[in-house]
Amino acid sequence: MPLESCMILLDNSEFMRNGDYIPTRLEAQSDAANMIVNQKTQSNPESTVGVIAMSSSGPSSGAELLVSPTDDLGKILTALHGVPFCGEMGRNGKDAVDIAASVQVATLALKHRRNKNGAQRIVLFVGSPLTCAEARSFVKAGKQLKKNNVFIDVIAMGELGENEPKLKELVDAANGSSANEEGAERNCHLVTIPAGVLPSDVLITSPIFRGDAAPMGGDMGGAAAGAGGGGGDAFAEYGGVDPNMDPELAMALRVSMEEERARQERVSAAAEEPNQEEKSGDDEDAAAAPPNNAESMEGITDGVENDEDALLQQALAMSMAENQASSATEETAAATGGESTAMDMGDDDDDAAMQMALAMSMQGESEEKTDGLDPAFVNQLLGSLPGVNPDDPAIQEALRKAKDESEKKGDDKEDKEE
């Protein structure tokens, strides 16, 4: 909490003898004030606290300053536990306590505080009926507090039906007109404590003890009535134990809770590691899947291209084989035609030689041998040639012509010999 100077105003009138708060209103008030003092001084070591009794036994019977704002906890606690019952019970047209006058005394004490830094706050306990005081006096006191930048927290103990409306006027005036807007924060608070409930249990869960600003529109009395069971939420880090009451137990519970929290974090982290590994493995598989698909598609494309290349090569090989077969057939036909031409030329030469001289008769005989080729030998020779079909009609026609010419030449020779 920030640095703060606080004045605690205690109601010590005869009305505080009532036993509707255990054991009495005065002792319950003293217990709650003791808790607030400890909270203020421990939250910030430079914070100061003062104590004022709103009734005194002197001639004025007004507010009495017991301790000015100080950080000496011993002086403060001594003043809290030494407050006597004083004041008259509403005689002479006056209330047992004068709220407006007590607030002015507290404001003067804060004005002359030793450390001028930090906020100023008044904590007001009210247990006496406010029958004679007018509401406008409370409004005036609240505006004066607002002007001097002094916050006020009011704790109503008893006589709630009569005191609560007037005390609410005081708090609203101290908050200012801007606090009436919706959602605005209130630095001044009113807490009503029902009868039979310990004030300390209610204050633990109130903005007065936590030191935060409450939103406008919430009635702290309703919250206080339901908070009688205790203030475990305010000391959640200490296991619901007030460290001011039992520091050793509160520290032990805090250490135990921190160890348990660390153990649970380790267990949860160990449980999350396998899930993260599985998730990362799935992510890696998912990331590796597209390249595999791409590779498979490339393999399929390459296979298709290879098949197409093989088919193309096969088609080219077949085409070349057909071209070779046709060229071999043409060469065979050409060779056969050449032989026929040569045979024709040989026949002409033989006729001329036989007419010119007998000396050429040997050459004629060799030519006759050549003309008399065996058809079976010729067919066998043609069949041995690659790509040549002996049964081809062209080849058979050439062989037939050669045979006819040979037979014709043989007949001509026989006629000449005769």
Side-chain angles (χ1 to χ4, degrees), residues 19 24 59 334 355 369 404:
T24 62
Q355 295 177 359
K369 292 179 182 179
D404 292 342

PDB file of all heavy atoms in Angstrom, residues 19 24 59 334 355 369 404:
ATOM      1  N   GLY A  19     -24.119  -5.020  24.838  1.00  0.00           N
ATOM      2  CA  GLY A  19     -23.542  -6.335  24.553  1.00  0.00           C
ATOM      3  C   GLY A  19     -24.045  -6.974  23.274  1.00  0.00           C
ATOM      4  O   GLY A  19     -23.928  -8.200  23.123  1.00  0.00           O
ATOM      5  N   THR A  24     -18.526  -6.588  24.198  1.00  0.00           N
ATOM      6  CA  THR A  24     -19.263  -5.326  24.204  1.00  0.00           C
ATOM      7  C   THR A  24     -18.898  -4.535  22.953  1.00  0.00           C
ATOM      8  O   THR A  24     -17.948  -4.892  22.222  1.00  0.00           O
ATOM      9  CB  THR A  24     -18.920  -4.490  25.453  1.00  0.00           C
ATOM     10  OG1 THR A  24     -17.525  -4.165  25.444  1.00  0.00           O
ATOM     11  CG2 THR A  24     -19.267  -5.237  26.742  1.00  0.00           C
ATOM     12  N   PRO A  59     -14.273  19.402  30.889  1.00  0.00           N
ATOM     13  CA  PRO A  59     -15.387  20.359  30.853  1.00  0.00           C
ATOM     14  C   PRO A  59     -16.059  20.419  29.497  1.00  0.00           C
ATOM     15  O   PRO A  59     -17.284  20.568  29.407  1.00  0.00           O
ATOM     16  CB  PRO A  59     -14.710  21.688  31.215  1.00  0.00           C
ATOM     17  CG  PRO A  59     -13.469  21.316  31.921  1.00  0.00           C
ATOM     18  CD  PRO A  59     -13.025  20.031  31.330  1.00  0.00           C
ATOM     19  N   ALA A 334      17.492 -55.221-107.879  1.00  0.00           N
ATOM     20  CA  ALA A 334      18.461 -54.548-108.755  1.00  0.00           C
ATOM     21  C   ALA A 334      19.562 -55.501-109.170  1.00  0.00           C
ATOM     22  O   ALA A 334      20.010 -55.513-110.333  1.00  0.00           O
ATOM     23  CB  ALA A 334      19.045 -53.333-108.033  1.00  0.00           C
ATOM     24  N   GLN A 355      30.521 -65.934-134.377  1.00  0.00           N
ATOM     25  CA  GLN A 355      30.549 -65.547-135.778  1.00  0.00           C
ATOM     26  C   GLN A 355      31.937 -65.087-136.212  1.00  0.00           C
ATOM     27  O   GLN A 355      32.277 -65.220-137.386  1.00  0.00           O
ATOM     28  CB  GLN A 355      29.526 -64.418-136.043  1.00  0.00           C
ATOM     29  CG  GLN A 355      28.088 -64.854-135.840  1.00  0.00           C
ATOM     30  CD  GLN A 355      27.103 -63.704-136.028  1.00  0.00           C
ATOM     31  OE1 GLN A 355      27.554 -62.567-136.293  1.00  0.00           O
ATOM     32  NE2 GLN A 355      25.805 -64.005-135.874  1.00  0.00           N
ATOM     33  N   LYS A 369      28.027 -71.987-119.809  1.00  0.00           N
ATOM     34  CA  LYS A 369      27.965 -72.548-118.443  1.00  0.00           C
ATOM     35  C   LYS A 369      27.344 -71.543-117.461  1.00  0.00           C
ATOM     36  O   LYS A 369      26.606 -71.903-116.547  1.00  0.00           O
ATOM     37  CB  LYS A 369      29.336 -72.944-117.943  1.00  0.00           C
ATOM     38  CG  LYS A 369      29.906 -74.137-118.728  1.00  0.00           C
ATOM     39  CD  LYS A 369      31.273 -74.487-118.221  1.00  0.00           C
ATOM     40  CE  LYS A 369      31.902 -75.656-119.011  1.00  0.00           C
ATOM     41  NZ  LYS A 369      33.252 -76.007-118.564  1.00  0.00           N
ATOM     42  N   ASP A 404      13.966 -68.478-119.586  1.00  0.00           N
ATOM     43  CA  ASP A 404      13.438 -68.488-120.967  1.00  0.00           C
ATOM     44  C   ASP A 404      14.503 -68.042-121.966  1.00  0.00           C
ATOM     45  O   ASP A 404      14.661 -68.624-123.053  1.00  0.00           O
ATOM     46  CB  ASP A 404      12.218 -67.571-121.054  1.00  0.00           C
ATOM     47  CG  ASP A 404      11.046 -68.126-120.261  1.00  0.00           C
ATOM     48  OD1 ASP A 404      11.065 -69.341-119.940  1.00  0.00           O
ATOM     49  OD2 ASP A 404      10.131 -67.325-119.903  1.00  0.00           O
TER      50      ASP A 404
END
